[in-house]
Amino acid sequence: MSRTRAQKEDKAGPFFLATLVLWFVSVLFEILFHRRSQLLSIVAGCFFYQLANWVVRAFVSRDPLFANTSVSLLHSTITSSSVIFILANQWLKNGSIGMFEHSQLFGGTWPWAYPALCFSCGYFAYDQWDMLHYGLYSGWIPSILMHHLILLICFTLALYRNVTINYLILTLICELHSIFLHVRKVRRMAGVRDAKSKIVMAEWVLNVVTYIVARAGAHLLITAKLIWDAPKFGKGIELPLALFGMFGMNFLNAFLGIDLFHAFKRERNPQNTNSHHE
């Protein structure tokens, strides 16, 4: 009864589902009518992560949240590894000189950056569908659905226009931190909750360090770079869209940091928070 009532009261779901359908039609239109075959990597990403979800549900657990989190962990691992590979490859081939110049970040495309961005874009579309299908969100304006919508808009417009690809690859370094977010969720769903164990403490250290360096710090530096190079962007939509996306990400990062702090306090003092559910 409560699930049915929640579905009836759900106002966000239909809106985000409609935007996802429009997004998918847009991608298919670009592939079929504009012959943008390189965008097939987006479709490949959608099917790959959906297949991974089916595998988890078939062989590990049928719990939708566990399957979703496990696939998110897979995406974070693949994407962060891809970003590190792309950056290291570019550094070793050409050195660091000019690597982060505006001309490179805005108009250039490092080897493997375009397909990596497409594949990750496919994941965010799959994840949006999976959360909508199983109701893995809450609130009038679910932050996770809004996060994915912002990313899908920014990523696909950049891919269509073939600009700011390298900028967006840099933003994906935050997936290094997402690994430990998802590890924590999977670990807790598996029943491992001893906050004093060495493994859990090591996980928290890595969680905090990567949050500061790979998520909050990296996104603030990218935002500062955008503001510093603003006069070099010209009069197109790229700068307003990039700033909108980064300010949105920084806003979400701030709330994520607060949530992490409270989660750490709850795990360290479980006797005071028995009534809370994470």
Side-chain angles (χ1 to χ4, degrees):
M1 287 292 290
S2 61
R3 181 180 176 84
T4 303
R5 184 165 57 252
Q7 288 176 334
K8 287 182 178 179
E9 294 174 355
D10 179 20
K11 304 296 183 181
F15 167 77
F16 284 103
L17 180 59
T19 59
L20 184 61
V21 171
L22 289 173
W23 171 86
F24 195 69
V25 170
S26 169
V27 171
L28 290 181
F29 183 87
E30 287 289 322
I31 293 172
L32 297 175
F33 294 97
H34 291 170
R35 301 186 183 281
R36 301 286 300 278
S37 59
Q38 64 270 40
L39 294 174
L40 284 170
S41 295
I42 297 177
V43 181
C46 291
F47 281 104
F48 174 81
Y49 289 109
Q50 182 61 66
L51 178 62
N53 185 289
W54 288 334
V55 170
V56 173
R57 287 173 60 81
F59 297 103
V60 184
S61 171
R62 296 195 60 81
D63 178 17
L65 181 59
F66 183 89
N68 180 274
T69 306
S70 299
V71 176
S72 295
L73 175 58
L74 175 65
H75 166 258
S76 296
T77 304
I78 291 175
T79 302
S80 57
S81 299
S82 300
V83 171
I84 292 171
F85 169 78
I86 290 167
L87 293 175
N89 180 60
Q90 183 67 15
W91 190 296
L92 292 173
K93 282 178 61 178
N94 302 314
S96 61
I97 299 176
M99 186 173 172
F100 301 110
E101 290 294 325
H102 174 76
S103 58
Q104 269 291 307
L105 295 177
F106 177 79
T109 304
W110 296 320
W112 301 101
Y114 197 95
L117 193 64
C118 284
F119 203 70
S120 191
C121 193
Y123 160 78
F124 288 114
Y126 140 78
D127 199 45
Q128 191 85 326
W129 160 251
D130 194 60
M131 288 187 293
L132 287 166
H133 181 61
Y134 290 107
L136 305 178
Y137 60 91
S138 61
W140 285 90
I141 306 177
S143 60
I144 187 64
L145 297 183
M146 183 60 68
H147 168 270
H148 283 19
L149 178 59
I150 291 172
L151 288 184
L152 286 173
I153 292 171
C154 293
F155 281 21
T156 47
L157 286 178
L159 290 167
Y160 291 169
R161 299 168 65 87
N162 202 18
V163 293
T164 67
I165 302 300
N166 293 342
Y167 259 121
L168 291 172
I169 285 294
L170 290 179
T171 66
L172 285 175
I173 196 66
C174 70
E175 292 300 330
L176 192 61
H177 171 244
S178 296
I179 291 175
F180 300 103
L181 285 180
H182 302 315
V183 164
R184 176 179 177 270
K185 287 183 68 176
V186 171
R187 183 254 301 168
R188 289 181 62 80
M189 282 187 280
V192 181
R193 300 186 174 216
D194 183 4
K196 296 182 180 179
S197 72
K198 292 182 179 180
I199 293 178
V200 173
M201 287 303 298
E203 173 211 297
W204 267 112
V205 170
L206 291 170
N207 203 324
V208 172
V209 170
T210 53
Y211 170 80
I212 294 171
V213 176
R215 184 177 293 276
H219 286 173
L220 285 172
L221 285 174
I222 293 169
T223 306
K225 175 68 173 172
L226 286 170
I227 295 172
W228 181 267
D229 287 341
K232 302 177 184 178
F233 271 87
K235 297 181 179 180
I237 193 177
E238 291 84 3
L239 179 62
L241 189 63
L243 288 174
F244 167 75
M246 290 313 303
F247 281 125
M249 292 299 295
N250 288 319
F251 181 77
L252 293 174
N253 287 344
F255 279 95
L256 176 58
I258 294 171
D259 287 343
L260 279 175
F261 175 72
H262 289 309
F264 179 74
K265 282 177 52 177
R266 286 195 297 270
E267 283 203 10
R268 294 296 292 175
N269 301 287
Q271 68 276 11
N272 297 330
T273 54
N274 286 333
S275 61
H276 291 279
H277 298 281
E278 298 177 347

